[in-house]
Every structure is written in C-alpha cells, then in structure tokens.
Amino acid sequence: MGLDIHTLIADWSWLAEVPPRERLPRLRDAWYDDGTGLWDHDAPGTDGGWEWPRGPHGARFGVYEFPGTLGSFKPHFWAGEGWEKTREHVDPAVRAEVDALLGGLTWDGPDFDDDEESEDRAFFADDSVLVACAPERVRELLATWERVRPRLDEVRAPFDEYAALPEGWIPDADAFVRLLAAWGEVLAEAARRGWGIAGLSG
C-alpha cells in the first residue's frame, strides 16, 4: 500500500485564526463535514479536477484530484526521480526553474536538508502535511511555472532519453509535463483566491 496525497487549497487567514497544531484538524474537520457533499457516495465520481464543498465551509477550501493518479503520491515521487536523471541534460536556466518549481512542491531537490523545516510546513506543525505553500509562496511558484511553461518542450527529449520508464507512473515526458501542468492549475487557482496549498497524506 502506497502513500496517498490529497491536495487542498485553503484560506490561510481562516486557518491562522487558531494555533498551528489546531490548523490541520480545523481543515480536516471542514473537509470531512457531511454538509460539504464531498462524501456523498451516490454522487458521480471524478477522475481529476476540482471539487468544491457546499455548506458553511464552501468559501474556505477546495480539493484537487490529479487526473489519472487515483490520489497516489507515487506519480509525484517518480516525477522527482525522473527529473533527477534529466536535469543535468537541459539548459541551466530551464533546470533552475524546474528545480525551483518541483522543489517548492513535492521534490526534495539536490540541496534538501532533512533537519530544516520550512516556514510554510511549520504553519501546520504536523508531519502528515506533504506539501505546504503559504499564499506568498504560491504566487512565487506560479510565477516560476509561468516562466518555465513555454520552455517545457526543451525537457521532452532529454526526459525521454534518460528518465522514461514505460511501465511506471511517469512513463515519458508527456506524463511529466501533464503533472507539472496540473500543479500549475492548482497554483493558479490558489493564487487567484489568495489562498495557500496543503497536500495531506492519508
């Protein structure tokens, strides 16, 4: 059984009304509330995209499911692994931008320090948060995405040469680019609302 990720965008100011250790429970309680309609077993399922809650928390958060991932963290992990094998074979400017984008989301990166907790992750004070981006960080990463998006074609050939795994979660450059584009969608919607991002395990 693998690790799952549930990606939510949320109103950081609403979460900041309570102490750090209460923020994730507050978000989870709102998400699990029956009034949201998100847990209606008779409702049609979704294979990707946004789900927006109904009820009193409707203006507090949204949930994004990455298409084709079944909620698994594995595609995000393997995207990072693929990038590790590819990054030395792309233009340094593109490398720096993809490093910054993935490093701000789900990839530990070459300079990862296991003992150093980011300020955004400390916002929740909870180890089950896989991704945490405050609104300011969301805007920075969205700007990074907008800069690198027009140059992703430069990544395709080296990715397919050095990192393609036909039987894997990220079998080729197309899958890698699709995953980045999905993160771009999450960043854009969070930035539009002035919200942050919380990627939760389990």
Side-chain angles (χ1 to χ4, degrees):
M1 193 169 204
L3 183 66
D4 289 340
I5 182 171
H6 305 286
T7 305
L8 288 77
I9 62 172
D11 181 343
W12 239 233
S13 62
W14 167 66
L15 293 173
E17 291 172 357
V18 297
R21 293 218 170 268
E22 296 177 25
R23 290 169 185 165
L24 184 56
R26 182 176 226 198
L27 181 56
R28 286 192 187 275
D29 287 348
W31 179 29
Y32 289 142
D33 190 318
D34 287 339
T36 64
L38 298 176
W39 308 102
D40 182 354
H41 297 294
D42 295 327
T46 178
D47 181 30
W50 291 103
E51 289 187 299
W52 299 102
R54 300 191 300 266
H57 301 297
R60 302 292 191 198
F61 73 94
V63 184
Y64 185 82
E65 182 178 325
F66 286 82
T69 68
L70 304 175
S72 174
F73 187 75
K74 288 180 180 178
H76 307 277
F77 171 80
W78 286 109
E81 292 291 292
W83 178 242
E84 286 271 11
K85 296 174 182 175
T86 305
R87 58 189 298 277
E88 294 299 327
H89 306 283
V90 301
D91 181 275
V94 175
R95 179 191 317 146
E97 297 286 25
V98 178
D99 279 359
L101 181 65
L102 284 177
L105 296 167
T106 57
W107 178 58
D108 289 339
D111 301 318
F112 177 69
D113 182 352
D114 202 26
D115 295 326
E116 184 179 336
E117 183 177 37
S118 75
E119 186 176 331
D120 290 350
R121 289 175 65 85
F123 179 81
F124 287 102
D126 193 298
D127 291 340
S128 65
V129 178
L130 301 173
V131 179
C133 298
E136 181 179 354
R137 183 71 172 139
V138 166
R139 290 189 295 273
E140 291 170 358
L141 290 173
L142 179 60
T144 301
W145 165 244
E146 295 293 353
R147 287 191 302 271
V148 79
R149 179 170 55 176
R151 300 193 64 182
L152 285 176
D153 280 346
E154 299 175 42
V155 172
R156 290 179 183 276
F159 192 98
D160 282 337
E161 181 176 354
Y162 296 101
L165 294 170
E167 304 302 320
W169 280 93
I170 302 292
D172 54 29
D174 286 344
F176 179 70
V177 169
R178 279 196 303 272
L179 190 70
L180 292 186
W183 273 115
E185 184 176 342
V186 173
L187 290 164
E189 186 62 28
R192 187 179 74 79
R193 293 169 180 264
W195 288 0
I197 297 173
L200 313 179
S201 66

